[in-house]
Amino acid sequence: MSDDLHPTVDPTKMGLGCSIAVLTSGGDAQGMNAAVRATVRVGLYTGAKVFFVHEGYQGLVDGGDNIHPATWESVSMMLQLGGTVIGSARSKDFRTREGRMKAAGHLVKLGITNLCVIGGDGSLTGANEFRAEWSGLLVDLVQAGTITKAEAKTSSHLNIVGMVGSIDNDFCGTDMTIGTDSALHRIIEVVDAITTTAQSHQRTFILEVMGRHCGYLALVTALSCGADWVFIPEMPPDEDWENHLCRRLADQRARGSRLNVIIVAEGAISRDGMPITSDQIKKLVTDRLGFDTRITVLGHVQRGGTPSAFDRILGSRMGVEAVMALLEANPDTPACVVSLSGNQAVRLPLMECVQVTKDVTAAMAEGRFEDAIKLRGKSFENNWNTYKLLAHINPPDVKSNINVAIMNIGAPCAGMNAAVRSAVRMGIIQGHSMLAVHDGFDGLAHGQIEPITWVSVTGWTGKGGSMLGTKRTLPGKLLEEISQNIAKFNIHALVIIGGFEAYVGGLELVQAREKYEELCIPMVVIPATVSNNVPGSDFSIGADTALNTITATCDRIKQSAAGTKRRVFIVETMGGYCGYLSTMAGLAAGADAAYIFEEKFGIKDLEVNVDHLLQKMKTTVKRGLILRNENANANYTTDFIFNLYSEEGKGVFDCRKNVLGHMQQGGTPTPFDRNFGTKMGAKTVLWLTEKLKDCYRHGRIFANTPDSACVLGMRKRALHFQPLSELKGDTDLEHRIPKTQWWLKIRPIMKILAKYDIKLDTSEHTDMEHVKKRSPLGK
């Protein structure tokens, strides 16, 4: 969101005298409605007029009722709906100059000079072309008598901002496009269902997913379910892939696996550019191996269903940024696209992104497949490299004589098992012996340690909870026993997967190195907790799954409230003292307020919230949703807030409360948590392998420098290893939270979208960035 832009500008006056039109174009994608809702509400918040354009560019061409004013209430109850409520269409008319001239005429007549387009690269390229020829279209419209010279003068310039809505994630410049995460949710639901039936019958399943020109869905699905093979258009398999594939499938069966999973992108090709089809793969596996093989083609199921929490938050944040970009634009500002980089919303020149996207297609057509992978961006490249490491390398014959122990600490969460699986397999690939520690530091102290093998972790990516077992016990009082067992089991490195206890436990081990030499081994803490409160990382494994659980529950609650009318629900979420879940679920579910520990509130704030709901009940939206983090305030408890709202709302609305409890820790992990856990586990073991070489002295491992005990965390745009001891300064140990938390900056968005009269902080401005193009190796 908008460094140091116009601190003096009142954001509620930025849009006065301006009109913004919003349209969705091309293929639909889940989360488009969240983007439309945010664009409308933030546009109205700034004082601008906002218009819906129904049926995409065709609606612009046809005009009439297709373009009409949007109101605050007209975007209510849109967040949880899939597809696009305002309709989408592929328009042949808009591709002609005559069609674009009609579209321009309709916009000029309504005084609209700001256009927000949500669609794929074709839709956004069309928008840029429209903008480039705008002045020429106006000249023709004046000559034809369609508009007056005065109208042409007031509409002399058209501003364009794009948001990419595409389930394929095929647009370069952004880590994720709107709809991709939701499509992955649909795919993984099917994979999980197929896995159970395939194991029953020892079958091979070939799953075909969308992606005619981009293999992102196929690649992340393969990582998220531990598939045996993936076919993507960016990187066709090597010559003789048929023999390699059959050998791999047979090896997996020989190791005791009861099923094989092959993921195929619909645009999969061979090295000579010929299509590789699901039927072709089925015939190969059946003829060569005699395996019972079935094909499932997912098709448009991937586009359907309710959007994930991630897509709702992404769409909402992009919508806010898009409005700011439009209102800050001048005639010299290039058309931009609002993108996601790490956890940051960024603005990129539209045509630079389109050019890089075209460069990928050109690289694939010319057989420069390594270039194609690189041009897709860092996120895609990292996924591909992780997949290659975990799927296509056989364990080496030569052992490293290194023993790496893995443990889970703290409360269980979805995605822990994916991290364990990937760490175990990456360790075996490196030649290490992997050891499983059961029941956390207790298990390490009491010798609950055993070898863990390649086959042991088969199928773990999709399992929730902790297969190793986990406890909250800290090592402080067990240091003697722990150091003895590290020596007894000859442990050379330690992977600690867990929440705040994992971080504090790691810190205690580091501080005890002076007394216990056995603790002078490299160790890494991988953050895994629903609370997302581990210092050194913007995200923790497990938080995304919990967020989706809360959001889905809130959807049902809102549906109930909408049916009964005049009802307010107060929902208590987990998180300890960390308000991440409450805040993000509030944004994803369209809550009216979210009370958290980090943002102090008192009785006056509660009064404002109650009054806000009393006013809301006078509109057509007669329901309310309030979230409260479990430790938001010791005195203003969930019961207190429930009683206060019940009393003050008497005669206007009634109240209900829900305490979500431990359901937030359960369930199967989301695609994000599976993929995140897989990448974190693999990266940790590769780092430890290098660190062990550095720490090898006189025939033994000795590590006592701060950088030999780290947290692996996602910081803004990349994964970083940060010394545990250095992070202590940024930690509120009493309340078990980091002192700085990135997501607090996006809390105002929730209040604005709920129609609170607050000032949006535009001091943290997103300047236009440039797409980092790599020089293709083949040129």
Side-chain angles (χ1 to χ4, degrees):
M1 203 173 25
S2 312
D3 270 327
D4 219 347
L5 159 66
H6 315 294
T8 53
V9 173
D10 179 351
T12 61
K13 306 275 194 301
M14 281 177 74
L16 289 175
C18 299
S19 294
I20 299 169
V22 56
L23 63 86
T24 52
S25 173
D28 63 304
Q30 309 97 314
M32 279 182 164
N33 291 323
V36 170
R37 172 180 175 268
T39 305
V40 168
R41 289 193 169 177
V42 176
L44 295 172
Y45 163 82
T46 64
K49 285 183 179 176
V50 186
F51 292 81
F52 286 136
V53 179
H54 288 272
E55 313 309 333
Y57 285 124
Q58 195 58 49
L60 265 192
V61 174
D62 296 342
D65 291 341
N66 288 303
I67 310 173
H68 65 87
T71 66
W72 197 274
E73 292 161 42
S74 63
V75 292
S76 181
M77 290 299 275
M78 276 174 66
L79 264 176
Q80 68 272 35
L81 300 177
T84 165
V85 168
I86 57 173
S88 181
R90 301 187 193 277
S91 172
K92 286 182 180 175
D93 292 341
F94 190 76
R95 291 180 181 172
T96 66
R97 184 178 170 85
E98 186 187 357
R100 292 193 293 275
M101 198 162 139
K102 283 183 186 175
H106 293 137
L107 292 178
V108 171
K109 285 294 181 187
L110 292 166
I112 299 168
T113 54
N114 296 282
L115 190 59
C116 181
V117 178
I118 308 165
D121 61 340
S123 302
L124 300 184
T125 304
N128 192 66
E129 189 179 342
F130 189 38
R131 177 183 187 261
E133 63 181 11
W134 181 257
S135 55
L137 293 172
L138 296 194
V139 169
D140 292 354
L141 287 165
V142 170
Q143 284 178 347
T146 309
I147 62 171
T148 65
K149 284 187 177 180
E151 286 172 327
K153 192 174 181 182
T154 53
S155 300
S156 61
H157 175 69
L158 179 70
N159 291 321
I160 296 276
V161 169
M163 288 182 261
V164 192
S166 162
I167 67 164
D168 292 335
N169 203 30
D170 55 355
F171 193 79
C172 294
T174 185
D175 289 349
M176 288 287 265
T177 56
I178 295 168
T180 305
D181 188 65
S182 301
L184 285 168
H185 274 251
R186 297 296 91 75
I187 295 167
I188 291 300
E189 284 165 15
V190 173
V191 170
D192 285 350
I194 279 173
T195 299
T196 54
T197 177
Q199 281 183 322
S200 303
H201 297 277
Q202 296 195 52
R203 283 188 176 137
T204 296
F205 260 92
I206 299 164
L207 194 74
E208 186 178 305
V209 301
M210 282 185 167
R212 198 164 298 142
H213 306 293
C214 179
Y216 186 88
L217 289 178
L219 179 55
V220 175
T221 300
L223 268 179
S224 301
C225 72
D228 296 295
W229 199 283
V230 66
F231 291 92
I232 60 170
E234 290 87 349
M235 184 56 76
D238 294 330
E239 303 295 335
D240 194 37
W241 63 266
E242 294 91 345
N243 288 330
H244 188 177
L245 171 63
C246 291
R247 193 164 56 246
R248 178 156 183 75
L249 298 182
D251 284 351
Q252 287 297 92
R253 289 290 173 96
R255 282 182 178 151
S257 175
R258 291 181 59 84
L259 82 155
N260 300 113
V261 177
I262 300 166
I263 309 293
V264 187
E266 61 180 335
I269 53 170
S270 61
R271 289 266 155 181
D272 55 5
M274 298 303 290
I276 295 177
T277 66
S278 299
D279 288 326
Q280 185 184 341
I281 299 163
K282 179 185 176 180
K283 187 174 188 314
L284 171 72
V285 174
T286 310
D287 291 354
R288 292 263 191 104
L289 300 173
F291 290 173
D292 186 1
T293 306
R294 304 294 163 94
I295 296 171
T296 300
V297 180
L298 287 189
H300 282 73
V301 166
Q302 295 158 88
R303 285 197 190 280
T306 188
S308 67
F310 180 94
D311 273 328
R312 300 183 199 197
I313 294 164
L314 178 64
S316 299
R317 290 180 70 190
M318 283 187 171
V320 176
E321 191 61 51
V323 171
M324 292 299 154
L326 282 170
L327 298 181
E328 290 159 15
N330 60 50
D332 299 322
T333 310
C336 80
V337 60
V338 179
S339 299
L340 180 78
S341 181
N343 64 20
Q344 295 178 301
V346 297
R347 299 178 194 174
L348 298 167
L350 171 58
M351 292 321 290
E352 281 188 23
C353 296
V354 169
Q355 186 55 52
V356 179
T357 306
K358 287 178 178 174
D359 289 347
V360 177
T361 310
M364 285 156 59
E366 293 165 19
R368 294 183 287 109
F369 300 113
E370 294 289 345
D371 291 353
I373 295 277
K374 284 186 166 59
L375 287 164
R376 278 272 181 237
K378 205 73 186 159
S379 174
F380 192 99
E381 191 179 0
N382 287 342
N383 284 324
W384 175 250
N385 289 337
T386 306
Y387 165 74
K388 273 199 307 184
L389 282 168
L390 288 171
H392 279 228
I393 296 177
N394 287 318
D397 297 327
V398 182
K399 295 284 183 259
S400 66
N401 296 321
I402 292 290
N403 299 319
V404 180
I406 302 182
M407 59 203 298
N408 292 164
I409 309 296
C413 68
M416 274 184 163
N417 297 320
V420 172
R421 171 192 173 272
S422 126
V424 166
R425 292 200 166 175
M426 186 58 75
I428 291 168
I429 287 164
Q430 299 300 310
H432 309 327
S433 296
M434 305 304 289
L435 299 171
V437 180
H438 297 282
D439 299 337
F441 288 116
D442 272 358
L444 190 57
H446 300 128
Q448 293 169 252
I449 303 165
E450 63 179 6
I452 186 165
T453 64
W454 188 280
V455 177
S456 311
V457 292
T458 298
W460 278 28
T461 43
K463 290 183 177 170
S466 165
M467 301 291 286
L468 293 181
T470 181
K471 286 189 176 176
R472 292 181 180 272
T473 314
L474 290 170
K477 295 176 182 175
L478 303 167
L479 290 168
E480 188 74 43
E481 296 92 330
I482 285 172
S483 58
Q484 285 172 3
N485 277 325
I486 286 176
K488 179 183 173 183
F489 288 90
N490 202 19
I491 294 169
H492 301 108
L494 197 56
V495 179
I496 306 169
I497 302 167
F500 201 83
E501 289 92 350
Y503 166 71
V504 175
L507 210 49
E508 288 182 3
L509 294 181
V510 170
Q511 287 162 349
R513 278 174 168 178
E514 286 181 26
K515 187 175 179 185
Y516 299 100
E517 204 177 284
E518 295 85 354
L519 299 176
C520 293
I521 57 172
M523 51 186 91
V524 174
V525 172
I526 298 177
T529 167
V530 301
S531 303
N532 197 32
N533 63 335
V534 178
S537 190
D538 294 341
F539 297 104
S540 295
I541 296 164
D544 186 68
T545 304
L547 189 53
N548 277 281
T549 301
I550 299 166
T551 304
T553 308
C554 288
D555 284 350
R556 290 171 186 168
I557 286 169
K558 278 177 72 177
Q559 197 174 44
S560 161
T564 47
K565 302 281 193 294
R566 300 185 187 278
R567 181 163 283 177
V568 174
F569 276 89
I570 289 127
V571 177
E572 183 186 296
T573 68
M574 275 185 166
Y577 286 95
C578 180
Y580 177 82
L581 288 179
S582 288
T583 297
M584 291 309 208
L587 194 51
D592 295 282
Y595 300 119
I596 63 169
F597 170 77
E598 293 93 339
E599 196 172 276
K600 304 303 176 200
F601 60 96
I603 197 70
K604 286 184 179 174
D605 301 293
L606 293 168
E607 280 177 26
V608 168
N609 296 150
V610 171
D611 187 56
H612 170 80
L613 285 168
L614 289 167
Q615 296 304 315
K616 188 177 179 182
M617 296 301 160
K618 295 175 184 175
T619 71
T620 56
V621 188
K622 301 181 190 301
R623 65 177 183 281
L625 177 65
I626 306 291
L627 299 184
R628 180 187 173 276
N629 164 248
E630 58 185 348
N631 290 340
N633 188 294
N635 296 311
Y636 299 131
T637 62
T638 302
D639 285 336
F640 176 94
I641 291 172
F642 168 70
N643 291 333
L644 175 72
Y645 275 66
S646 297
E647 182 62 33
E648 296 297 319
K650 263 184 187 168
V652 181
F653 61 79
D654 65 345
C655 281
R656 296 287 187 273
K657 69 174 177 181
N658 283 67
V659 178
L660 299 185
H662 281 74
M663 65 180 285
Q664 296 160 85
Q665 286 182 347
T668 57
T670 57
F672 178 90
D673 279 331
R674 297 180 196 208
N675 189 20
F676 193 41
T678 299
K679 284 198 278 197
M680 297 279 267
K683 196 171 180 73
T684 292
V685 172
L686 290 173
W687 183 85
L688 283 172
T689 303
E690 289 306 306
K691 191 56 71 176
L692 284 161
K693 291 174 188 171
D694 297 341
C695 300
Y696 191 73
R697 300 276 186 284
H698 312 297
R700 68 192 191 98
I701 304 296
F702 186 78
N704 67 345
T705 56
D707 68 352
S708 63
C710 289
V711 169
L712 172 57
M714 169 71 85
R715 274 287 167 94
K716 291 187 176 173
R717 303 181 183 186
L719 291 172
H720 294 287
F721 289 91
Q722 299 149 98
L724 283 158
S725 52
E726 279 182 17
L727 291 168
K728 199 174 175 184
D730 185 37
T731 307
D732 177 349
L733 285 162
E734 182 191 350
H735 297 106
R736 300 158 51 87
I737 52 174
K739 289 178 183 173
T740 52
Q741 301 188 87
W742 67 271
W743 49 266
L744 285 168
K745 290 176 182 173
I746 66 173
R747 271 182 69 79
I749 296 174
M750 180 177 61
K751 293 181 181 176
I752 289 164
L753 296 178
K755 209 176 183 179
Y756 278 91
D757 185 17
I758 68 157
K759 294 289 183 278
L760 178 63
D761 177 16
T762 56
S763 61
E764 184 171 294
H765 172 56
T766 301
D767 288 313
M768 188 87 81
E769 297 187 7
H770 290 281
V771 185
K772 294 178 179 64
K773 285 183 72 172
R774 302 173 184 235
S775 55
L777 308 172
K779 287 190 176 177

